[in-house]
Amino acid sequence: MSDAKARSSDGRLDLSAEPFVHRSVEMIEEGVVRRIAGYGLPRAIVAFSGGVDSGTVLALAARALGPPEVSAVTAVSPSYPSGELEEAREVARSIGVEHRVVATDEVGREAYARNDTMRCFHCKTELYATLERVAETHGSPAHVVLSGANADDLGDFRPGLLAAEGFGVRSPLLEEGITKAETRAMARRLGLSVADKPALACLSSRVAFGVRITPDLLARIDRAEQLIRGLGFEQVRVRHLGADASVELIADDIERLAAHPQWMELSTRIRQLGWAHVAIDPEGYRAGSMNATADR
């Protein structure tokens, strides 16, 4: 495959270049495999949340280097949504790679807990420092750390990308200019169970900037989302706006939840978790919608 985007001397994406020409899913896959192999390191550690992006990177890293040379590492903390870990284990098992679970303590970092616009930077700093310790502990000096960031992430405010750069983390989907839709297409072709899984984001992304992050607050948000998912809704965000909570769903689900016979009872249960008011957002789910609360 020939890139229509220019690249800098270290192979990273030059964002000022022209868009890629049309590529088949097979071509895109092979480009990612070649890029991972081209890093020139025999082992890879994948920051693996269990979502479609990191799952696709994990599968293609296993193809590039061989499953025995790839480790999936899932970081668990109060900001990691409940119910995700078992699915992450299943995906790693289906690919045939080692899966490790580590605890991170980003919520214990004051720089993170104060919840300013650089929160994600501090989160990823904690994550990548932990992954480096995992590599040292398990004797993997010659390794590359991979993330699941893709080209669509450039359209939003993502300070976590700065942390990745500081640790030398590589993002093969991003470097190949691959979008979320293209990633899902690869995941389907690879037979990954998470190919159509709703976007996954840490629970802190539901909290308005400037509102302090605490384990208790994250647990409340997690519980509220689990209650709504229990009614059969997959893509759910309960945004914490202080005294109020706003429920975001995909457009087709807004009226369905509002008309659900259990919604009134459920909204009362959510208020009892600690909110004065709970309302369904008529604009629906928007990735990164809390960035509108940032003063940058």
Side-chain angles (χ1 to χ4, degrees):
M1 178 187 71
S2 62
D3 288 357
K5 281 185 183 286
R7 300 184 185 278
S8 60
S9 59
D10 69 352
R12 295 179 187 272
L13 189 65
D14 179 357
L15 303 179
S16 65
E18 292 299 316
F20 277 109
V21 296
H22 176 72
R23 303 166 294 173
S24 68
V25 177
E26 294 86 349
M27 291 173 65
I28 295 170
E29 281 183 21
E30 290 309 312
V32 178
V33 169
R34 284 197 299 271
R35 179 165 292 277
I36 294 172
Y39 295 145
L41 293 166
R43 286 191 50 79
I45 294 175
V46 180
F48 180 52
S49 67
V52 62
D53 300 321
S54 58
T56 301
V57 169
L58 185 65
L60 295 178
R63 181 188 296 180
L65 305 176
E69 305 305 324
V70 177
S71 295
V73 181
T74 302
V76 176
S77 76
S79 67
Y80 188 64
S82 62
E84 297 293 339
L85 183 57
E86 187 53 42
E87 187 166 21
R89 287 192 174 113
E90 287 298 325
V91 173
R93 188 178 299 121
S94 73
I95 295 170
V97 301
E98 174 191 47
H99 183 233
R100 294 185 180 275
V101 179
V102 297
T104 54
D105 187 32
E106 66 274 10
V107 179
R109 286 174 171 251
E110 173 58 28
Y112 179 95
R114 66 174 176 249
N115 193 25
D116 61 21
T117 57
M118 294 300 288
R119 182 193 67 230
C120 289
F121 173 86
H122 302 299
C123 175
K124 296 301 185 183
T125 296
E126 171 82 6
L127 170 63
Y128 296 135
T130 300
L131 295 187
E132 289 298 331
R133 289 194 293 272
V134 168
E136 293 169 3
T137 301
H138 297 285
S140 303
H143 70 276
V144 61
V145 176
L146 305 178
S147 87
N150 64 65
D152 288 355
D153 292 327
L154 297 175
D156 196 3
F157 180 59
R158 301 281 178 147
L161 294 175
L162 296 176
E165 185 174 349
F167 279 87
V169 174
R170 304 306 295 258
S171 304
L173 302 179
L174 175 59
E175 292 171 20
E176 285 289 306
I178 294 170
T179 66
K180 186 79 167 189
E182 290 173 321
T183 302
R184 290 195 185 279
M186 285 191 291
R188 293 185 194 104
R189 188 170 184 273
L190 292 164
L192 299 181
S193 62
V194 292
D196 296 306
K197 182 177 180 176
L200 179 65
C202 80
L203 293 169
S204 296
S205 67
R206 280 71 151 163
V207 183
F209 286 113
V211 176
R212 190 172 185 82
I213 301 290
T214 67
D216 176 68
L217 173 57
L218 298 179
R220 287 167 52 198
I221 293 169
D222 194 28
R223 177 56 180 158
E225 292 187 355
Q226 292 300 320
L227 288 171
I228 297 171
R229 290 194 181 95
L231 297 182
F233 298 87
E234 291 190 15
Q235 183 70 282
V236 179
R237 295 286 188 271
V238 174
R239 308 290 191 186
H240 175 73
L241 306 176
D244 300 339
S246 176
V247 179
E248 291 183 10
L249 308 103
I250 60 174
D252 291 345
D253 284 345
I254 294 174
E255 290 188 12
R256 188 162 70 90
L257 178 60
H260 197 286
Q262 296 183 46
W263 169 239
M264 294 305 295
E265 176 187 352
L266 196 65
S267 64
T268 297
R269 293 176 65 185
I270 293 173
R271 285 198 302 274
Q272 290 171 345
L273 293 173
W275 288 285
H277 304 284
V278 177
I280 300 171
D281 189 331
E283 294 186 49
Y285 168 72
R286 289 97 64 205
S289 66
M290 291 306 253
N291 286 342
T293 69
D295 182 14
R296 300 196 295 270

Short mmCIF file of all heavy atoms in Angstrom, two decimals, residues 1 24 27 41 78-79 104 123 127 136 178 182 188 194 199 209 217 227 235 249 266 273:
data_model
loop_
_atom_site.label_atom_id
_atom_site.label_comp_id
_atom_site.label_asym_id
_atom_site.label_seq_id
_atom_site.Cartn_x
_atom_site.Cartn_y
_atom_site.Cartn_z
N MET A 1 0.85 -1.20 0.00
CA MET A 1 0.00 0.00 0.00
C MET A 1 0.88 1.24 0.00
O MET A 1 1.85 1.34 0.73
CB MET A 1 -0.88 0.02 1.25
CG MET A 1 -1.75 1.25 1.36
SD MET A 1 -2.61 1.29 2.95
CE MET A 1 -1.23 1.66 4.04
N SER A 24 -9.09 -0.84 0.40
CA SER A 24 -9.92 -1.94 0.84
C SER A 24 -9.59 -2.25 2.29
O SER A 24 -8.53 -1.87 2.80
CB SER A 24 -9.70 -3.18 -0.02
OG SER A 24 -8.39 -3.69 0.20
N MET A 27 -6.34 -4.07 2.50
CA MET A 27 -5.17 -3.19 2.37
C MET A 27 -4.89 -2.45 3.68
O MET A 27 -3.73 -2.29 4.08
CB MET A 27 -5.40 -2.18 1.25
CG MET A 27 -5.41 -2.77 -0.15
SD MET A 27 -5.89 -1.54 -1.40
CE MET A 27 -4.53 -0.39 -1.28
N LEU A 41 10.75 -3.97 16.86
CA LEU A 41 10.90 -4.55 18.19
C LEU A 41 10.16 -5.88 18.24
O LEU A 41 9.08 -6.02 17.66
CB LEU A 41 10.37 -3.60 19.25
CG LEU A 41 11.20 -2.31 19.40
CD1 LEU A 41 10.47 -1.27 20.20
CD2 LEU A 41 12.55 -2.63 20.04
N PRO A 78 -11.15 2.97 39.62
CA PRO A 78 -12.53 3.45 39.77
C PRO A 78 -13.10 4.09 38.52
O PRO A 78 -14.33 4.21 38.39
CB PRO A 78 -12.42 4.47 40.91
CG PRO A 78 -11.28 3.99 41.73
CD PRO A 78 -10.28 3.47 40.72
N SER A 79 -12.26 4.49 37.56
CA SER A 79 -12.76 5.12 36.34
C SER A 79 -13.09 4.11 35.24
O SER A 79 -13.59 4.50 34.19
CB SER A 79 -11.73 6.13 35.81
OG SER A 79 -10.56 5.48 35.36
N THR A 104 -4.45 0.77 38.45
CA THR A 104 -3.87 2.10 38.35
C THR A 104 -4.57 3.03 39.34
O THR A 104 -5.72 2.78 39.74
CB THR A 104 -3.99 2.67 36.92
OG1 THR A 104 -5.37 2.63 36.51
CG2 THR A 104 -3.16 1.87 35.94
N CYS A 123 -4.17 10.85 33.37
CA CYS A 123 -4.63 9.46 33.34
C CYS A 123 -3.69 8.60 32.52
O CYS A 123 -3.25 7.53 32.94
CB CYS A 123 -6.05 9.39 32.78
SG CYS A 123 -6.69 7.71 32.56
N LEU A 127 -1.17 5.44 33.29
CA LEU A 127 -1.30 4.19 32.56
C LEU A 127 0.02 3.76 31.93
O LEU A 127 0.48 2.61 32.12
CB LEU A 127 -2.36 4.33 31.46
CG LEU A 127 -2.45 3.17 30.46
CD1 LEU A 127 -2.85 1.87 31.15
CD2 LEU A 127 -3.44 3.52 29.34
N GLU A 136 9.13 -4.14 32.58
CA GLU A 136 10.37 -4.36 33.34
C GLU A 136 10.25 -5.57 34.25
O GLU A 136 11.16 -6.40 34.35
CB GLU A 136 10.70 -3.12 34.16
CG GLU A 136 11.08 -1.90 33.32
CD GLU A 136 11.13 -0.63 34.15
OE1 GLU A 136 10.93 -0.73 35.38
OE2 GLU A 136 11.35 0.45 33.57
N ILE A 178 -6.28 5.79 10.01
CA ILE A 178 -7.45 4.92 9.97
C ILE A 178 -8.54 5.46 10.88
O ILE A 178 -8.30 5.80 12.05
CB ILE A 178 -7.05 3.49 10.39
CG1 ILE A 178 -6.11 2.91 9.34
CG2 ILE A 178 -8.28 2.60 10.56
CD1 ILE A 178 -5.46 1.61 9.75
N GLU A 182 -13.40 2.54 9.73
CA GLU A 182 -12.48 1.58 9.12
C GLU A 182 -12.01 0.56 10.15
O GLU A 182 -11.83 -0.63 9.84
CB GLU A 182 -11.30 2.31 8.50
CG GLU A 182 -11.67 3.11 7.25
CD GLU A 182 -10.52 3.96 6.74
OE1 GLU A 182 -9.78 4.53 7.58
OE2 GLU A 182 -10.37 4.05 5.51
N ARG A 188 -14.66 -6.49 12.17
CA ARG A 188 -15.63 -7.46 11.66
C ARG A 188 -14.92 -8.53 10.84
O ARG A 188 -15.21 -9.72 10.97
CB ARG A 188 -16.69 -6.75 10.83
CG ARG A 188 -17.59 -5.82 11.62
CD ARG A 188 -18.70 -5.23 10.77
NE ARG A 188 -19.34 -4.11 11.47
CZ ARG A 188 -19.13 -2.84 11.17
NH1 ARG A 188 -18.33 -2.50 10.16
NH2 ARG A 188 -19.72 -1.89 11.87
N VAL A 194 -16.16 -7.60 19.59
CA VAL A 194 -16.38 -6.19 19.96
C VAL A 194 -16.52 -5.29 18.73
O VAL A 194 -16.52 -4.07 18.86
CB VAL A 194 -15.25 -5.68 20.87
CG1 VAL A 194 -15.30 -6.36 22.22
CG2 VAL A 194 -13.88 -5.87 20.21
N ALA A 199 -18.87 2.80 21.71
CA ALA A 199 -17.61 3.43 22.12
C ALA A 199 -17.45 3.36 23.63
O ALA A 199 -18.41 3.55 24.39
CB ALA A 199 -17.58 4.89 21.66
N PHE A 209 -15.89 19.48 33.56
CA PHE A 209 -14.60 19.96 34.00
C PHE A 209 -14.76 20.91 35.18
O PHE A 209 -15.69 21.71 35.25
CB PHE A 209 -13.88 20.68 32.85
CG PHE A 209 -13.33 19.74 31.81
CD1 PHE A 209 -13.86 19.74 30.52
CD2 PHE A 209 -12.30 18.87 32.10
CE1 PHE A 209 -13.35 18.88 29.56
CE2 PHE A 209 -11.79 18.01 31.14
CZ PHE A 209 -12.33 18.01 29.86
N LEU A 217 -18.13 9.35 43.37
CA LEU A 217 -18.85 9.93 42.24
C LEU A 217 -18.83 8.99 41.04
O LEU A 217 -19.85 8.78 40.38
CB LEU A 217 -18.23 11.28 41.87
CG LEU A 217 -18.77 11.95 40.60
CD1 LEU A 217 -20.28 12.16 40.68
CD2 LEU A 217 -18.05 13.26 40.33
N LEU A 227 -28.03 0.71 35.51
CA LEU A 227 -29.49 0.64 35.64
C LEU A 227 -30.17 0.85 34.29
O LEU A 227 -31.12 0.13 33.94
CB LEU A 227 -29.98 1.67 36.65
CG LEU A 227 -29.67 1.39 38.13
CD1 LEU A 227 -30.03 2.60 38.99
CD2 LEU A 227 -30.44 0.16 38.61
N GLN A 235 -25.74 2.10 24.31
CA GLN A 235 -24.92 3.32 24.29
C GLN A 235 -25.51 4.32 25.27
O GLN A 235 -26.48 5.01 24.97
CB GLN A 235 -24.87 3.90 22.88
CG GLN A 235 -23.98 5.14 22.73
CD GLN A 235 -22.50 4.80 22.85
OE1 GLN A 235 -22.00 4.61 23.96
NE2 GLN A 235 -21.81 4.74 21.74
N LEU A 249 -28.27 9.19 25.05
CA LEU A 249 -28.42 7.95 24.31
C LEU A 249 -28.36 8.26 22.82
O LEU A 249 -28.50 9.42 22.43
CB LEU A 249 -29.76 7.26 24.62
CG LEU A 249 -30.12 7.02 26.08
CD1 LEU A 249 -31.14 8.04 26.51
CD2 LEU A 249 -30.66 5.62 26.27
N LEU A 266 -37.21 4.24 37.36
CA LEU A 266 -35.76 4.19 37.28
C LEU A 266 -35.13 5.56 37.50
O LEU A 266 -34.10 5.69 38.17
CB LEU A 266 -35.33 3.64 35.91
CG LEU A 266 -33.88 3.18 35.82
CD1 LEU A 266 -33.64 1.98 36.72
CD2 LEU A 266 -33.53 2.82 34.38
N LEU A 273 -29.41 8.17 43.99
CA LEU A 273 -27.96 7.98 44.04
C LEU A 273 -27.23 9.28 44.39
O LEU A 273 -26.04 9.26 44.70
CB LEU A 273 -27.45 7.45 42.70
CG LEU A 273 -27.89 6.03 42.31
CD1 LEU A 273 -27.44 5.71 40.89
CD2 LEU A 273 -27.31 5.01 43.28
#
